[in-house]
């Protein structure tokens, strides 16, 4: 029974994706909605992303330095390990899981509240495609999500550099040499491909849980929790699949 329920939910999710692009809302209205979503989802997330990225970059750098106990291992490895950790996994994947909590809960609760207060029903009665009206602006706003991850990568590396150099673990030239060692440009492309996929998941899975929820205010909170769990699970699964496809 549970398998059938999950398959039914997956089918409903893909039907929702198709419905989002039917009967588009007038551009004059949509433009305002997109700007509002950019402000709420992208600009509203920059502070927490910057804070976490900077200090986690510093922690990665310090932990790498503390584990280099063998004097034969060059100090450049600190910069190399910091770059690889942040660019390949931390910035695209772990920031996306954090955003599943911040953005995802916001999206689910805002759409869920509209469902509970019958605002979505009112949109339908007026002949508006409520899925296009509510979800499409979020998808467009999250096209800017790679910019957030690019900022995360930069601040993570900067935090690593400051922690390593000012903590006395290595010199600035050694750290920068490590950053440049065996640099593969495709790793950046790989990170941004993952980011683009995660952006679509961050916009649509929380919207799905908010749009199709039933009940009252208590159920809005429960839907937010469930949407965070499922968004995180799907992000981790897609991370595994994309890593196999792109890096194997």
């Amino acid at each position: 029974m549970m398998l059938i329920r999950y398959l039914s939910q997956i089918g409903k999710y893909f039907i929702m994706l198709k419905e989002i692009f039917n009967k588009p809302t007038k551009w004059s209205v949509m433009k305002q909605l997109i700007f509002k979503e950019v402000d709420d989802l992208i600009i509203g997330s920059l502070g927490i992303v910057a804070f976490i990225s900077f200090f986690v970059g510093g922690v990665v750098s310090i932990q790498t330095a503390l584990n280099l106990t063998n004097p034969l291992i060059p100090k450049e490895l600190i910069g190399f390990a910091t770059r690889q950790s942040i660019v390949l996994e931390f910035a695209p994947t772990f920031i996306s899981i954090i955003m599943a909590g911040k953005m995802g809960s916001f999206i689910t609760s805002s759409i869920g509240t509209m469902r509970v207060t019958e605002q979505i029903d009112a949109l339908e009665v007026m002949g508006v495609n409520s899925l296009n009206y509510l979800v499409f602006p979020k998808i467009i706003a999250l096209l800017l999500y790679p910019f957030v991850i690019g900022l995360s990568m930069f601040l993570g590396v900067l935090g690593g550099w400051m922690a390593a150099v000012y903590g006395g673990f290595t010199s600035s030239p050694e750290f920068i040499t490590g950053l440049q060692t065996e640099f593969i440009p495709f790793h950046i492309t790989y990170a941004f491909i993952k980011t683009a996929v995660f952006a679509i998941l961050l916009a649509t899975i929380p919207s799905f849980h908010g749009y199709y929820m039933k009940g009252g205010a208590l159920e809005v909170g429960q839907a937010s929790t469930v949407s965070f769990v499922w968004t995180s699970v799907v992000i981790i699964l897609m991370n595994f699949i994309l890593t196999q496809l792109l890096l194997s």
Side-chain angles (χ1 to χ4, degrees):
M1 279 299 290
M2 191 170 283
L3 177 64
I4 292 168
R5 192 159 63 87
Y6 285 147
L7 289 173
S8 152
Q9 291 289 88
I10 291 166
K12 203 181 202 181
Y13 171 74
F14 283 106
I15 291 167
M16 182 196 85
L17 292 184
K18 184 175 80 70
E19 286 296 318
I20 288 168
F21 299 98
N22 288 344
K23 268 181 68 187
T25 307
K26 281 194 301 184
W27 174 244
S28 57
V29 177
M30 183 59 72
K31 187 169 61 175
Q32 298 301 319
L33 294 172
I34 290 168
F35 284 135
K36 182 180 181 302
E37 297 298 350
V38 168
D39 186 42
D40 289 341
L41 302 178
I42 301 297
I43 295 170
S45 301
L46 291 178
I48 186 73
V49 168
F51 178 81
I52 292 170
S53 300
F54 184 82
F55 286 102
V56 169
V59 168
V60 169
S61 178
I62 290 167
Q63 287 189 348
T64 305
L66 291 174
N67 282 293
L68 294 181
T69 50
N70 190 327
L72 298 176
I73 299 173
K75 295 288 187 185
E76 286 90 346
L77 191 62
I78 299 170
F80 175 79
T82 302
R83 184 198 76 207
Q84 292 296 89
S85 303
I86 287 165
V87 169
L88 290 176
E89 279 310 310
F90 171 73
T93 306
F94 290 101
I95 288 292
S96 294
I97 290 170
I98 292 163
M99 288 299 104
K102 186 191 180 298
M103 281 184 199
S105 298
F106 173 77
I107 291 169
T108 304
S109 58
S110 60
I111 296 178
T113 303
M114 290 184 74
R115 172 61 76 191
V116 168
T117 54
E118 299 180 355
Q119 292 177 56
I120 292 175
D121 298 330
L123 286 171
E124 296 285 352
V125 167
M126 289 189 291
V128 174
N129 177 357
S130 55
L131 278 169
N132 179 266
Y133 184 88
L134 294 171
V135 184
F136 185 74
K138 293 172 174 56
I139 294 172
I140 298 301
L142 279 163
L143 292 177
L144 292 173
Y145 186 59
F147 165 74
V148 176
I149 298 304
L151 179 71
S152 172
M153 289 177 189
F154 170 74
L155 288 172
V157 170
L158 178 66
W161 173 78
M162 288 188 74
V165 173
Y166 293 104
F169 297 107
T170 184
S171 67
S172 183
E174 281 179 322
F175 188 90
I176 291 166
T177 303
L179 283 182
Q180 296 169 337
T181 301
E182 293 183 33
F183 175 65
I184 301 168
F186 181 72
H187 283 172
I188 301 288
T189 309
Y190 155 78
F192 282 121
I193 290 170
K194 285 206 302 188
T195 301
V197 173
F198 297 161
I200 293 166
L201 297 175
L202 284 169
T204 55
I205 295 176
S207 298
F208 172 80
H209 285 282
Y211 189 84
Y212 290 108
M213 64 147 292
K214 294 180 175 67
L218 178 65
E219 283 75 16
V220 172
Q222 290 171 345
S224 297
T225 305
V226 171
S227 94
F228 166 65
V229 171
W230 278 110
T231 307
S232 303
V233 166
V234 177
I235 282 173
I236 290 165
L237 277 174
M238 288 306 297
N239 184 41
F240 177 76
I241 292 165
L242 289 169
T243 301
Q244 287 279 26
L245 290 174
L246 297 172
L247 293 187
S248 292

